[in-house]
Structures are given as structure tokens and as C-alpha cells.
Amino acid sequence: MAFRGPYADGPSAADLRVESPPLKKLTWRDPGRLAAVLAVLVSQVLLQLAKWLVRRGERNWKAAASRGVIDAFERLGPTFVKLGQVIASSPGLFPKPLADAALRCLDEVRPISVDQVRRVITENLGAPPEEIFKSFEARPLSAASIGQVHACVLPDGRDAVIKVQRPNITRTMATDLRVAYAVTRLLEKLSKNALAMKPSAAVADLHAVTFQELNSALEAQRQHDFRAHLHDFDDNYDVAVPEIYWDYCGPQVICMERMYGIPLDEFEVIREREVDGAEMLRRGVKVWVESALLRGVFHGDLHAGNLWLLDDGRLCYLDFGIMGKVEGPWRELLKDMFYTGMFDADFNRLVPHYRALGMIPEGIGTDAEIAMRLELIFGPILKSGMAGISLGKTIGLVMDMAKQYQVDSPQELVLVSKQFLYFERYSKELAPEWVIFGDIALAENIFPERYQAAKAELEAAEPASS
């Protein structure tokens, strides 16, 4: 009889529910951890500053202090390593020495023991891995702050991987996030420089997504849904998402198809393979934009470990722990921004959205005047390659405008801008001349009639072949 785990028929609504514990109020258990965190931070920073005094020529004091902060993060465990990853992935928001030092956090984290892995699998699926799988590799393929991945082979011979959460990680991260928030708020009160960086906001952002990442059932369901819609228009076959093997999934484990490839930031290897960088990125961006604008959901963590170039040439999306949603008038605004940039540069189309969302006060300018201002902000990007003006920063301007007029913009817009920053990083290395708004192929399924008309116009403009 075939093995059937607790999610063999799919997770229930209760399994998919996310409960986030409070962030801003310490519990009676937290002061001890708070004292330990402060002690480790202070001791590691002082240690690195002392080393700097001895070897002053090696680095400046800010670099030394930053190194001490990240040393402390590594000693303090998964939550603080995760915070380091946020800092490393958002270099424009933090001082360069700190962002550079935090790059260490993007490397693999120390794995948990195979005995702990076996225990989690047994508790989730009801039997040890050796009894469930045809084979199971004790050495992890990768280890991260929340869990790690082991290779296995299903009873029917299919290659798979199983993603296993660290034991007690939910309780640990809930405590550490409260403590980290208290520490960063204290720093902001003591230092104007810290207040300007607003590290407490980074902790709050991390808290907002962490407990979604910790729900393995939700992550697996999101991955399953993203894959199910990948070929809605009978295309996108050059993009892959691993299949979820529900029979082998549980509350803290996800089993899926094994993919073979390399992360997208292995630029030299990709160039050596003579891959068409623009074509590869076009496929990935097209899938992402279609999901965001047509379904209102998008992958929210596109660092290179989650985007792979597979050995068979496909681009692969991995790790659906962080997903964003853009709904209602904000999605319509983004959709019309995309259309405007792609086809006609008619910024008058955007003015009603801005007025409806309250980002243009009553009595300030005519629609034509507002459209002209919007063109000054967004127009240059239409003629720039991805290596030029930043799409991520441009979306940031939308949020800044919303804040200026005290309009609540969805937190997901922050995620949207971060994903474009990732795309920009990849394109600068692999396709610096690629103009995203000049590539009408991205609109094929979003605006099909306009796409066909634009395609016909381009074909008609081509010189007749002899």
C-alpha cells in the first residue's frame, strides 16, 4: 500500500491559517533573552573594535563594528541570521559597511543534526525517513535559518527533496523577534543615526512574513497553486516550479520534485554556458508580472537562491515561503502603469487612480498638469535599459507620494519594489541592454489584444525580406 502522510488529500483551511504573535510587547520570559542579546552584541562589537585598534590599517572602525554586529547575529541564531539576510538584501537602506558584513548571512547556516531531522520527519509523517523513502541522504543539500533540505528518492523512483524545519523554530523566532524589536527601538532612542535607518522597521517587516514562512502547509499550497497556473495560457514552458508531493508533506516538512541547476547569481558560469540572458530573464519576469497583475499574487523573495537556471535551460522558481498580494485599486494602478510604460506613455490614464487613492489632494492641478508631473517622474524609465533607472526605486516613489499625503499604501508594494531590485541586479550582469518596458512579449497574456496589435505593427515595420 502506498504511503500517505497527513496532507495526502491536501491541507485543510485550519492548516493554512497563520497566527502571528504580538511583536511590541515583551512577555515575562523575554527579559533574560534580551539581556543575553545585548551582552552578545556589545561584547562582539567591542571585540572587533579592539582588534581594529591593534590593526588599524586593515579596516575603518565602522567596518569593524559592523563585523561585530554580524558576528553577534551568527552567535545568536536563526532569527538574527534572518535579520542579517534582510540587511544584506537591502543595501540601500543600511550603511554600506553593515550591508557588506551581512553578506555572510546569505551563506549556508550551520545545519541541525540528522538525528533531529529524522525526529521531525517521524513526528510529521509517522515513520522515519528510511522507512518512507527508497533512499534518504543524511547530509543536507543546503541549510537556512528556518530549515534545511535533504535529497531523497520516492518509493516509485522519482528524485525528490524534503525541506525540514528546525525544531521549536516558531517559539524561538517569536521570542527573538520581540527581543530584536525592543533592542532596535532602544538603539533608535539612543542614536540619531540608528533612528534614521529605522532598524525596528526591518524587524517589523521580518515579523510580518516570518510566520507565513513557518507554515509549511501554506508554503506548499502556494507553490502548488503557482505551478498550477504557470501554463494557464498554454505557454511559459521554459519556466519551472517543482511539483509538490503531498503524500510526503506535513506541518513541518515539505516534499517536492528535485531540480538540478545553479543559482541565478553564478554569473560567470552562466556566461560560460553562452545563455541568452535577456531571453532567460524575459521568461522569468513575464511569469512574475502575469501572476502579480492577473492573479494579484507574486513571489516575494527572489534572491538568487530562489531563482535557478536549470541544467535543461529552464528558469526555475523555488521557495514560496514569502508571497505577496496586490489587490483592488492598487493592482489596477500597477496594471495601468505597466500598460502606459509598455505601449503609449499616456500618463493621463494614471491620474484617476492617483486621485481615487488620495495621493493628489483636491484642487491641486488639472488632470493634464498632474499627468505631466507623473511623466517627469516615470517617463525616463521607459527609455532606459534595466541597468539605468531603477524600477524598484521608481515604485518606491509611488510609496513616498502616498506617505506624503498620508495615504496607507499596502505593505506588499515594498515587496514588489524589492523584487524589481532583484531583477535589476540580474539584468545588469546578464542583459544590461534589455529594456523591460520596451519588450512587448511581457504583455502577451496581460493585454492580449493590444499585444497582437503592437506585434503586427512591429512586423509591418520590418524591411521586406528579399
Side-chain angles (χ1 to χ4, degrees), residues 71-310:
D71 286 347
F73 282 7
E74 291 181 336
R75 289 173 178 267
L76 290 167
T79 310
F80 290 89
V81 170
K82 192 78 173 173
L83 182 57
Q85 292 171 353
V86 172
I87 294 171
S89 300
S90 309
L93 302 179
F94 297 92
K96 188 175 186 303
L98 183 60
D100 289 345
L103 289 172
R104 275 186 286 148
C105 296
L106 298 176
D107 296 331
E108 290 194 355
V109 184
R110 182 180 300 174
I112 59 175
S113 71
V114 68
D115 289 338
Q116 290 176 298
V117 170
R118 287 192 178 99
R119 191 179 310 124
V120 173
I121 293 174
T122 302
E123 290 172 354
N124 275 250
L125 302 182
E130 291 78 9
E131 294 181 16
I132 297 172
F133 302 110
K134 188 174 181 179
S135 68
F136 173 81
E137 292 186 13
R139 184 175 181 177
L141 294 173
S142 64
S145 53
I146 287 177
Q148 61 195 50
V149 176
H150 289 256
C152 58
V153 177
L154 302 187
D156 62 9
R158 286 176 293 175
D159 287 350
V161 296
I162 186 164
K163 186 175 180 180
V164 183
Q165 274 190 21
R166 294 174 178 270
N168 303 315
I169 188 67
T170 299
R171 185 175 62 187
T172 299
M173 294 196 80
T175 298
D176 280 354
L177 284 167
R178 288 193 297 268
V179 168
Y181 188 78
V183 170
T184 52
R185 289 290 293 156
L186 177 62
L187 288 174
E188 289 169 1
K189 291 178 181 178
L190 297 176
S191 167
K192 290 184 178 179
N193 289 333
L195 181 60
M197 288 187 294
K198 294 185 177 179
S200 64
V203 177
D205 288 345
L206 183 57
H207 180 269
V209 299
T210 289
F211 298 95
Q212 296 183 44
E213 285 191 88
L214 290 170
N215 187 324
S216 291
L218 179 60
E219 178 180 343
Q221 186 65 57
R222 286 169 164 174
Q223 181 171 324
H224 173 85
D225 292 344
F226 197 94
R227 185 175 189 273
H229 288 281
L230 195 57
H231 309 307
D232 277 353
F233 301 96
D234 198 31
D235 62 354
N236 297 330
Y237 291 103
D238 290 322
V239 178
V241 175
E243 180 182 358
I244 294 292
Y245 297 140
W246 286 111
D247 285 348
Y248 306 93
C249 292
Q252 284 86 40
V253 297
I254 305 173
C255 188
M256 69 188 81
E257 175 185 6
R258 185 174 182 180
M259 313 303 279
Y260 295 89
I262 57 174
L264 205 59
D265 64 351
E266 294 193 16
F267 301 125
E268 290 303 321
V269 177
I270 293 174
R271 279 191 282 263
E272 288 173 4
R273 294 184 183 182
E274 297 183 350
V275 172
D276 185 335
E279 177 60 29
M280 178 179 61
L281 287 173
R282 177 185 297 113
R283 301 170 192 165
V285 175
K286 179 175 178 290
V287 165
W288 190 91
V289 169
E290 286 174 1
S291 182
L293 297 187
L294 296 179
R295 297 177 51 235
V297 296
F298 59 89
H299 194 299
D301 194 18
L302 291 178
H303 65 74
N306 293 340
L307 270 182
W308 279 23
L309 173 63
L310 299 184

Side-chain angles (χ1 to χ4, degrees), residues 324-358:
K325 282 187 176 182
V326 180
E327 299 174 316
W330 287 99
R331 174 150 62 113
E332 293 306 311
L333 169 60
L334 290 178
K335 195 172 180 179
D336 273 352
M337 284 180 65
F338 192 79
Y339 187 101
T340 299
M342 184 68 67
F343 294 113
D344 59 12
D346 182 2
F347 287 87
N348 290 285
R349 179 183 295 106
L350 303 182
V351 175
H353 293 297
Y354 278 79
R355 289 199 185 280
L357 289 166

Side-chain angles (χ1 to χ4, degrees), residues 392-404:
K393 291 180 181 177
T394 301
I395 293 175
L397 290 174
V398 177
M399 293 183 286
D400 290 342
M401 188 180 294
K403 290 178 183 176
Q404 180 181 351

